[in-house]
Amino acid sequence: DLYDSLFTFLVLLNTITLSLNKYGQKEEMVIFLENTNKWFTWLFIYEMFAKILGIGLKKYFGDRMNWLDGSIVMISIFEMLSSKVMPSQNLSGLKTIRTLRTFRVFRVVRLLRSLKSMQTILGVV
């Protein structure tokens, strides 16, 4: 349906923006990617809570892909909260948590799962 297609497209866009991050880039690009990350984080928070409200906790956690999605969202929420609570702290643990947002890339698996032709190819391999 349209809702799932929209969020699948957002996962793809998020994957592309995450891949743009590199060492030594210009400050404008760093700011752009940080703002983009915040927008995607809020969109995925909305998606998770909308699904939970729409289908209920039992059905939400009955789908293992939602376990991955929910875990990534919870890590993102923790990252956002920790940066607000301790903005001036330079803790290496928080830097590690910040790198965990790259696990959002695993949401691309949702694309593979939804494409019947891709399932056939993976089945042959």
Side-chain angles (χ1 to χ4, degrees), residues 20 44 46 48-49 53 65 68 70 77 79-81 92 105:
L20 296 175
F44 295 138
Y46 165 78
M48 183 179 97
F49 286 107
L53 287 173
M65 284 304 295
L68 174 65
I77 291 171
E79 176 193 350
M80 287 172 53
L81 290 175
S92 60
V105 174

Side-chain angles (χ1 to χ4, degrees), residues 49-60:
F49 286 107
K51 273 186 169 180
I52 289 172
L53 287 173
I55 64 174
L57 278 173
K58 187 174 182 178
K59 192 169 181 181
Y60 180 83

Side-chain angles (χ1 to χ4, degrees), residues 51-112:
K51 273 186 169 180
I52 289 172
L53 287 173
I55 64 174
L57 278 173
K58 187 174 182 178
K59 192 169 181 181
Y60 180 83
F61 287 111
D63 182 355
R64 291 189 186 255
M65 284 304 295
N66 288 335
W67 291 14
L68 174 65
D69 292 348
S71 298
I72 294 166
V73 168
M74 297 309 289
I75 289 169
S76 298
I77 291 171
F78 182 77
E79 176 193 350
M80 287 172 53
L81 290 175
S82 64
S83 68
K84 294 292 183 195
V85 172
M86 301 178 283
S88 61
Q89 299 292 327
N90 192 8
L91 301 172
S92 60
L94 292 179
K95 287 182 181 180
T96 302
I97 290 170
R98 184 177 193 95
T99 60
L100 291 177
R101 71 181 177 191
T102 58
F103 282 119
R104 288 185 190 164
V105 174
F106 289 127
R107 293 186 67 173
V108 174
V109 171
R110 182 185 286 178
L111 289 171
L112 298 177

Side-chain angles (χ1 to χ4, degrees), residues 13-34:
L13 282 179
N14 185 225
T15 302
I16 291 168
T17 59
L18 286 172
S19 70
L20 296 175
N21 199 6
K22 64 180 181 178
Y23 178 77
Q25 60 193 16
K26 294 181 181 181
E27 185 65 24
E28 300 87 36
M29 186 63 159
V30 171
I31 292 169
F32 170 76
L33 291 175
E34 285 297 319

